[in-house]
Every structure is written in C-alpha cells, then in structure tokens.
Amino acid sequence: MAVGVSTASVWPLKAGAAFEMAADLGYDGVEVMVWADPVSQDVSALRRWSRRTGVPVLSIHSPSLLITQRVWSPDPEVRLRMSVDAALELGARTVVVHPPFRWQRRYGDAFGDLVDELEEASGIEVAVENMFKVRPPGGSRTSRVSAFRPSIDPTDVGFRHYTLDLSHTAAAGMDALALAERMGSGLTHVHLADGTGLPKDEHLVPGRGIEPCAELLEKLVNSDFSGQIVLEINTRRSPNAAQRSRDLAESLLFARFHLGQ
C-alpha cells in the first residue's frame, strides 16, 4: 500500500519541490496536481524530476478545478484524455478526476462512457472523487449548492473506481466511513487530510480535525485495500520551509502508524 504526497501539498512551491521533499521524508511517490505550475503540465519535466529524485509518480490529478479550466485545453474531455496519456507515460496507476460541473452538459452526458472507455483502453484507474457543496454568490452564510452533476457523491451514479477525499467529506458534512462502504471494492485511492467540519476545503494535517482518518486507515488494512494513500494537505501558510517539512513528516508518520507500516 503506497503512501504518497500530492504536489499540491507544497504549494506555492513548484512540483519539483514535492519530489525533493518526498525523497527526503521517505514517501513512496507523488501525485501530480496538474494546474498553473508549468512543471505539472510538462510530462518530460516530471519524468526528469522522478528520475533525479528516485521518486515515482503514483497518480495524476486531472485539471478539474475551476482555476484549471484552460490548462492543456478548454475542453474537459481533452483534459481527461491527456491526463490518462500522462499517467501512461509516467508509469502512474491512477488518474483522479472530479465529477463534471453542472454547466458542462455535453461532457456530463458522456462522462460515464468516457471514463469506461479510457479505463478499458489504457488500464489506468480513473478514480472519480467525492466533492462538497459551496456557498453561491450572494447566498447566505448557511446556503449551499452543488456545482456538480448529478451530485457531490459519485456513488450516486456508480463508477468502477473512486477517490475518497476526507477534507471534502468534512466540508460536506458527510460520513467518511459510510461513504467508503458505499464505494466498496471500487475505492482505490484516498486523499488523506482532515477538516473541522466547516463548510470549506481545509486539507489539515490528519489528526488535527474531526474526520475519522485513523479509523479509515485501519479499516483499509483490515479489508486488504491495495490502493494508494496520498497526503493532500495545505501548507501554504507555513511560515518557513522547516514547518512545511514538519507538517509533511507528521502526516506521513500518521499514515504509516495507522497502516501498521
């Protein structure tokens, strides 16, 4: 069971810093978040960083965020296809992708078939991630809507493979363990982070919030889970490099301890 770190965990540093820190701290690999960082978009550059540090690419996070709607292509189908191609070139096992936005009608209508097609043709696991509701522009402090179709819970549709994100379950007020049960054997990828239950995506170091991070890891061990665990924490407010490194080291120690490694 590999334990990796997302390149998003070192932001605002570039992807190369994630490879270096993964090597220094003893992570098993990295997940590349494809976004504005030019290195994250460049397969050749990522391959060089992987070879230089000896750290493999475990997974590719497709550019699915609002801020990445024009990374690689304005067409979401093209972005997902390019993500699978990048995973094949880099030897990654998994592509993480968000459900379609509600306004992406054509993409949303074809999404399930597209995921099936890409998995069958490539052998890559396209793992659809659970999301959370957001406050609409001009909405009250308590009003929340889903920006995703048909919902924030990918098990409402049903896919072969899922990514379970615990920061997202915290923001959504969802029961992470119950969601893992619904995902069943399709749960192949975990974004390990924590949250306090506030309706926002916090990505705290595991153990610093209210999510059942330890319980989930122990449950995965007991269920012979053979997927990947990726730490996706927020270190952008770290005052210095030493604190960022401590947070990433603490996260890795938490994961390995509760996985019995």
Side-chain angles (χ1 to χ4, degrees):
M1 196 184 305
V3 180
V5 62
S6 170
T7 59
S9 296
V10 305
W11 190 84
L13 302 181
K14 304 299 185 185
F19 282 90
E20 292 177 329
M21 297 188 77
D24 289 343
L25 296 173
Y27 279 89
D28 297 322
V30 301
E31 174 172 303
V32 175
M33 170 70 82
V34 181
W35 56 4
D37 173 12
V39 175
S40 74
Q41 304 172 28
D42 187 334
V43 171
S44 296
L46 293 168
R47 186 184 297 109
R48 288 194 295 272
W49 274 110
S50 180
R51 289 174 176 172
R52 185 182 309 168
T53 58
V55 174
V57 177
L58 301 177
S59 48
I60 300 291
H61 195 309
S62 182
S64 306
L65 303 171
L66 278 174
I67 61 172
T68 60
Q69 293 300 290
R70 291 194 172 273
V71 170
W72 280 346
S73 169
D75 186 331
E77 177 179 337
V78 173
R79 293 198 299 272
L80 183 53
R81 289 186 181 278
M82 291 182 69
S83 300
V84 171
D85 289 343
L88 284 169
E89 290 190 51
L90 293 166
R93 165 180 166 177
T94 305
V95 166
V96 177
V97 64
H98 294 176
F101 287 115
R102 291 169 63 182
W103 55 85
Q104 294 173 323
R105 294 183 180 276
R106 183 177 61 83
Y107 175 60
D109 289 343
F111 184 68
D113 291 338
L114 174 63
V115 168
D116 287 344
E117 174 207 324
L118 290 172
E119 289 193 320
E120 290 172 5
S122 68
I124 298 294
E125 297 170 350
V126 181
V128 185
E129 186 172 10
N130 62 292
M131 301 305 294
F132 56 97
K133 294 182 178 180
V134 296
R135 186 167 70 179
S140 69
R141 294 181 62 184
T142 58
S143 62
R144 293 292 182 271
V145 298
S146 171
F148 304 95
R149 58 177 299 190
S151 76
I152 60 174
D153 183 350
T155 67
D156 287 345
V157 175
F159 297 95
R160 294 183 192 175
H161 300 104
Y162 299 102
T163 295
L164 173 58
D165 187 305
L166 281 89
S167 178
H168 292 179
T169 56
M174 297 175 70
D175 183 329
L177 297 179
L179 179 56
E181 285 289 337
R182 293 197 298 277
M183 290 178 171
S185 60
L187 174 56
T188 190
H189 201 74
V190 173
H191 280 167
L192 184 61
D194 217 329
T196 63
L198 292 175
K200 62 180 182 179
D201 199 11
E202 296 175 283
H203 285 284
L204 303 178
V205 170
R208 297 185 186 178
I210 63 170
E211 287 303 280
C213 298
E215 294 89 338
L216 176 69
L217 294 178
E218 291 162 8
K219 174 184 174 66
L220 294 177
V221 171
N222 293 331
S223 64
D224 296 322
F225 175 78
S226 59
Q228 300 166 327
I229 310 294
V230 169
L231 274 299
E232 194 182 58
I233 66 168
N234 184 347
T235 66
R236 70 177 182 271
R237 292 192 177 91
S238 296
N240 50 53
Q243 183 59 53
R244 177 178 285 108
S245 182
R246 282 194 291 270
D247 285 346
L248 289 169
E250 179 182 332
S251 299
L252 178 60
L253 178 62
F254 183 100
R256 294 217 186 278
F257 178 80
H258 291 289
L259 290 171
Q261 297 180 350

